[in-house]
Structures are given as structure tokens and as C-alpha cells.
Amino acid sequence: MLRTACLGLLALFCSALCVVAASTTQALPREGDVTIDGVLDEAAWERAPWQAGFRSASAAAENAGEPRPAAVQTRFKVLWDAAALFVAVECDEPQVEALKARYAAHDSDVYQDDCVELFMDPAGEGRYYHHVVVNSKGAWYDDYGADYGLVHVKRWECPLETATSVDAAAKAWRCEVRIPLAALQLKPDAGSTWLWNVTRERYAGGRLELTTWAPLKGNFHQPKRFGRLTGVAIDYSRFAVGLGEPKVTISGGSGTFNTLELRLPVTNGGQQPRSLRLSAGRFLAPETAVTAAPIELAGGATQVVTLPGLRVRRGDSDAAVQITATDTVLEQPATIVVKRLDADYRPLVVEVLQPVYRGNIYATESVPEIVFRVTLADDVAARTRAVAYALCTAAGTEIHAGTATAAQIEGDLRLDAAALPVGTYALVLRALGRETDEVIAETRATLRKLAPAPGSEVRVDALGNILVDGKPRMFLGWYGGIPLEDPRADVVALQDLTTPVVLPGIAPEDVARALGEPFRRHGIYSVV
């Protein structure tokens, strides 16, 4: 009965999601220049009609049933060209002096200001969608959503152009956005009709009011209910260029900067040859870009491109780098990606391969050797004769030691660990100079030999398997709770893992008392 009821509710939920809103508008091809300044005075905008009819999506409207027309209206229009989508939004605002606009930085909480939100799914399928929020200052937030809003990839970044203007006389504020198509996640199923919606969050009236073009209730992240944007007659084959993961070499540079050298594979996903030029620069700082020589790439071919050194500020351990592949014939971007790259200059790096999990030797495993690899920054390698390494106690006493030449550190290094007692240890490495034994660079990694766990020992082995008390386990579970009171053993046995809701202010020991005994009795594990 319980399972049947759940399946019935799931079917109703999925049925509701599959109802596509009737709202439809057309994107027109851009004719004439458009300057992103928030003024909307170009002839190109004049020929595009406004799309209005926003409805309330606030909780009060949801409780009342069918969404009612918004008391304070919003309207938008859309243009496109071969390289970008252009969106203009005009927001009526009778209390324009009360506009809330606290945030000015990219990816800050602009959705807590007076703002508009753009949702777009070029595939028209309703699973994956792009999401952009722009406040009345022109600051924006962007993410890539999936699975009906349950997943938001904040690390997707789009080099938008945005501008806004506030018109006190007309009691309105306006927003203008240019969205480069090369930065979108354009899959092969992208078409001329997109799922599309524009929404608004209004605070100027003294309380939050949610309004939407497509008829949604309570939650904007319902891609199956988005409206439709037609007429986007774009040749998507122009964007069939893939950029692989870059290999990054970091050098110390000079002054307050480090230098990144990027090597990355470029793939022509189309059938026709392409002439491409790669550039890379810090995101939202185009003046920092460095450019490689153009390459000729046959259809389906891949080539690794090395870019000139890109300077990043020393201390920025995580740099947002925009990489652009430009078609040199069209002089338009074919693809734009923003990567979060490790930019921390580390002259000497050690990677511990064994023990495999968190640098710990667990009571249920046998680790006869410490196995590790050493990497030197290029500028350090040029001055290094050898690398000395030692396994030391917490007090600094050497237990085992060795020295490796530059040729030997190309492979794995090993130290005996068969008879280590329980305790904490340091793996210490020093790069030694060519002329003398001066220490050019030094690093260390913490290792532990653990005693038997007081409860359950949980670790991961070299193949990624989860082991509980030394034995592999396959977990089945979900977020929420387990019906422990259900008398049918098979219902409880369906799940042996739960991720409980943890409320602020609840002490861990209280959670342990509440869950510990019944979970132990039923063999259920909890991940918080």
C-alpha cells in the first residue's frame, strides 16, 4: 500500500511537470547595432515587440489557485545574431526610489535585490537549463541547472555583458543583456525553439513579490513549465569545438604574480576544417588575455595547444581563467569555457599513493610501504641535484630516509612502513641544490597509523570501494528517514544508509542518541 501510494504520487508529480506552458514569444534577428548600456534606444530594439502578461508566482497567488496578473508589470524582448542572444527587460516600478540594490559583485546574492531572472534551455527538452540573474545595478549571477532545479552548477560562468538604467520619470528600470552563444552548453540537440522564461523578484514594494512570464507557482526552477522562444535560427555547427582539461605548469614569476602555462587539447567536432586561435585570460579581465598562434584543424581532429604564460596574482590559489577558441575566418568565438585552475605556486609537491585514503594506515589494512611521487616546479627542477626524503616521528626523529636523483623522481619512491606503531608521522622532502646541499625547497605530508576504531571503521580502498571494518559494502539509501516502525523487515532492509536532515542548533551527541540504537539494531549507517 505504501509503495503503491508513493508511485501514484510520483506519477502525478511527473505528469504535472510534463505540462508545457502555452506562453510563446519570438526572437528576431538583430538588424543594426546594439550597445549594451541599458537605454534600449537603438532601432534594432524598436522593431522588436514587447512581450508582457507577467503573472504572480508568490505564495499567496499559489494558494489562491490560478496565478493572477501581476499588479506591477514587466515586459521583455529578444534579438539574436550569429554570435549572441540579446535580451531587453523593462520593469514598471511605482516606487523606483525604493529599489533594493545592495550587491555589485559577480555571483553575489543579487537574487536578494530587485532583479530579473532569465532561464533558457536551447535543447527545448526541459532537463538542463541556463540561469542568469541581473539586479537593478547590472550585477549578475549565473549557474547551470539540471534535474528540475535539484542541481545547480555554480562553477559554470558566462562572460555576459549587462547594463541597467533607472528612469524615475517613467517609474521604471531597464536591463539589457548580451549572452555569448559560445559560452552556453550547446548540445547537438539545440534547435530554433528554446524553452524560455523571464521572472522577476520585486522588493521595492516593501515585501517580496515574485512574478513570471510562464505560468509557474512558487518556484521558478520548473523547466518543463517554461514558455517557448521561437525563431532562434542559429547555425550551431559554428560552436562544435571542444576544449579539454588543461595541463597547468606554474612558475614563481616575479613581484606579486605567478605565471601559468596552459597546454590543452582542442577538438574540431565538425566535419569541415577550421582555423582556430586560442586565448586565455582571467575571467572578467580581458586585458590580461594571452594568445597562441592560430592552428588549422581538420574535421574530427584534436591538437594540443600551448598558450603563452598567463600572469595571476600570487596568493590566488584558485584562479578563474576564461579560455576562448576563436574562428579566425569568422572572427567570432567558437567556444568559451571558464576553468577554475590551481594557481598556487608550489616549488615541491608530494603525492602520497599509499596509504590511499586520507594519508591513514587503518587497523584493517596492511601497508608495508609508503609509496609517493615528487613533482618539482620547472624553475626549481633546473637548480636541483637531488631530493632527500625521510619518514619522521611527530617529534622529528628520522625512522627511514633516502635520496633520489632527478631521473629517479620520474617514478614512484618508497619507504618501509611494515613495523610502524600507532602514531602520527611526517613525510619530509627537501630539494637540494646542484652545487651544494643547500635546501632550495621543502614540503611535508602528514601520515597516521591508526588504532582499531571505537565504532565502525569506514575507508576507501585503491579501487574506490567503500569498506566497513575492512569488508566491502554496497549501500542503498537516500535523503530523509527510514520507516523503522514498519513491522515488515523487507521494508527496512531496502535501505541501509540515510542522510538525515540536520537542524541548526542540534548537538551531534543528541543526533547520535536519537539515531544510534535503532540504526545499530537494523544495520543502518548515517552520513551527515
Side-chain angles (χ1 to χ4, degrees), residues 182-377:
L184 299 183
Q185 305 292 307
L186 295 173
K187 303 185 187 311
D189 53 359
S192 61
T193 297
W194 295 12
L195 287 180
W196 172 266
N197 198 23
V198 179
T199 65
R200 178 180 172 188
E201 297 186 42
R202 179 174 180 255
Y203 287 89
R207 60 183 177 86
L208 174 61
E209 299 173 57
L210 305 177
T211 57
T212 174
W213 174 63
L216 309 179
K217 295 181 180 181
N219 178 10
F220 291 159
H221 295 268
Q222 301 178 46
K224 291 287 187 181
R225 291 180 175 268
F226 291 170
R228 294 187 179 275
L229 179 69
T230 64
V232 191
I234 290 166
D235 178 8
Y236 293 107
S237 66
R238 295 183 177 190
F239 308 108
V241 173
L243 299 178
E245 285 300 315
K247 180 180 179 181
V248 182
T249 301
I250 308 169
S251 59
S254 60
T256 58
F257 291 91
N258 292 332
T259 301
L260 309 185
E261 183 184 88
L262 277 57
R263 297 179 70 251
L264 72 162
V266 184
T267 301
N268 178 2
Q271 298 179 350
Q272 301 302 316
R274 303 284 294 271
S275 176
L276 299 168
R277 182 177 63 247
L278 252 64
S279 61
R282 298 201 301 273
F283 182 52
L284 303 182
E287 70 280 1
T288 66
V290 295
T291 305
I295 61 171
E296 302 296 325
L297 207 55
T302 298
Q303 181 174 329
V304 175
V305 175
T306 300
L307 285 149
L310 172 65
R311 296 204 313 166
V312 297
R313 291 193 178 278
R314 186 165 291 173
D316 289 349
S317 59
D318 184 23
V321 176
Q322 177 180 320
I323 306 170
T324 303
T326 299
D327 186 304
T328 63
V329 176
L330 302 173
E331 279 302 324
Q332 291 179 351
T335 191
I336 300 170
V337 297
V338 178
K339 301 279 189 180
R340 293 278 179 179
L341 302 179
D342 181 2
D344 189 14
Y345 172 64
R346 288 172 291 183
L348 173 59
V349 177
V350 60
E351 178 188 5
V352 177
L353 305 177
Q354 188 173 294
V356 300
Y357 187 55
R358 296 190 171 187
N360 294 332
I361 301 174
Y362 289 80
T364 58
E365 67 177 333
S366 173
V367 179
E369 293 180 308
I370 306 297
V371 183
F372 55 98
R373 289 178 184 161
V374 176
T375 304
L376 299 174

Side-chain angles (χ1 to χ4, degrees), residues 416-459:
D416 180 53
L420 288 180
V422 169
T424 300
Y425 302 89
L427 178 60
V428 181
L429 298 98
R430 298 182 176 94
L432 306 178
R434 288 189 179 276
E435 303 301 327
T436 66
D437 281 343
E438 65 169 322
V439 177
I440 299 173
E442 180 175 335
T443 191
R444 64 181 56 216
T446 299
L447 305 173
R448 298 177 182 85
K449 177 71 178 287
L450 300 180
S456 295
E457 177 200 271
V458 182
R459 61 183 174 89

Side-chain angles (χ1 to χ4, degrees), residues 11 29 39 64 74 149 151 156-157 167 186 208 228 298 302 311 347 389-390 431:
V39 179
T74 307
V151 177
W156 174 72
E157 304 282 19
D167 189 338
L186 295 173
L208 174 61
R228 294 187 179 275
T302 298
R311 296 204 313 166
Y389 52 90

Side-chain angles (χ1 to χ4, degrees), residues 3 6 65 71 101 146 155 162 168 220 256-257 288 311 379 390 393 419 471:
R3 186 176 298 175
C6 289
R155 288 213 163 198
T162 66
F220 291 159
T256 58
F257 291 91
T288 66
R311 296 204 313 166
D379 54 341
T393 65
K471 298 178 181 179

